[in-house]
Amino acid sequence: MSERRALLRRIRVWLAVFVVCLVLSGLTAFPLVHELHWAEDLLRSSASPVPEHFPALMEWITRVRTGLDEADARYPFVLYGTDWLAFAHLVIAVAFYGPYRDPVRNIWVIEFGVIACAGIIPLALICGPIRDIPFWWSVIDMSFGVFGVIPLLVVRRMIKRLEAMERPARSEPAVTAAPAG
């Protein structure tokens, strides 16, 4: 296998992993009420050390579950916002088909993803306190940007290498104008 093909394959594997993670994180936004019930039951089980060692986490999970239960029972339209959040994740995941197909031409999608990952940090730091989110939970939210940017930066570096390999092949011969006269 040529070096170019091997590099293209690595780019596509990294992108596939990134897209799968993006889709999975989006899909988890649809069944939030059920997920919180499941998480609370799991964390309260006798096998879990969470209630004893992390009481603040347990209180937060219970508070969020209670809020979602009340919203679901009395104001289900509020949860429609999380449906749109899920949809946005899925749409963004589709955008990464461009770099999968032609990484050099569509490197802008990777750069867009890097910017989006960076944007998670100020969003969490600004909106977290406004929405009464505990700081440690905002740190968890910010970790999605930190961990999300890593594969994107790796892919971007590999695309730049691929671009350097392809530069002679992509160059068009210069067109010169005939002398006037």
Side-chain angles (χ1 to χ4, degrees):
M1 181 182 296
S2 74
E3 184 181 351
R4 183 194 172 283
R5 289 188 126 188
L7 185 56
L8 185 59
R9 179 178 160 86
R10 285 195 310 273
I11 290 168
R12 288 179 172 163
V13 167
W14 276 94
L15 284 171
V17 169
F18 184 81
V19 165
V20 166
C21 291
L22 194 56
V23 167
L24 290 175
S25 71
L27 292 177
T28 63
F30 285 117
L32 279 179
V33 175
H34 301 292
E35 287 171 343
L36 261 293
H37 279 272
W38 175 79
E40 188 179 35
D41 290 346
L42 182 69
L43 294 175
R44 287 198 187 282
S45 73
S46 59
S48 172
V50 172
E52 181 182 344
H53 298 291
F54 303 101
L57 174 61
M58 201 64 238
E59 289 171 21
W60 176 248
I61 296 294
T62 300
R63 181 176 181 210
V64 172
R65 195 255 322 132
T66 300
L68 285 174
D69 280 346
E70 289 178 19
D72 191 35
R74 297 181 63 197
Y75 311 105
F77 53 85
V78 172
L79 297 177
Y80 188 53
T82 62
D83 297 336
W84 281 103
L85 171 69
F87 178 72
H89 277 76
L90 301 177
V91 169
I92 293 167
V94 170
F96 283 89
Y97 176 69
Y100 185 89
R101 196 182 77 241
D102 186 346
V104 173
R105 180 178 291 161
N106 293 294
I107 193 170
W108 70 270
V109 176
I110 305 303
E111 292 166 345
F112 166 81
V114 168
I115 293 166
C117 286
I120 291 171
I121 294 170
L123 178 80
L125 290 173
I126 294 166
C127 295
I130 291 171
R131 301 290 185 205
D132 200 25
I133 304 297
F135 179 73
W136 55 267
W137 194 265
S138 293
V139 171
I140 292 170
D141 290 339
M142 288 184 279
S143 74
F144 283 93
V146 172
F147 291 117
V149 79
I150 293 169
L152 294 176
L153 291 174
V154 168
V155 166
R156 186 180 184 285
R157 188 180 75 232
M158 287 190 288
I159 291 172
K160 288 295 189 180
R161 282 185 23 220
L162 183 65
E163 181 181 33
M165 287 178 186
E166 292 181 352
R167 196 166 289 131
R170 285 185 177 249
S171 298
E172 301 275 333
V175 177
T176 56

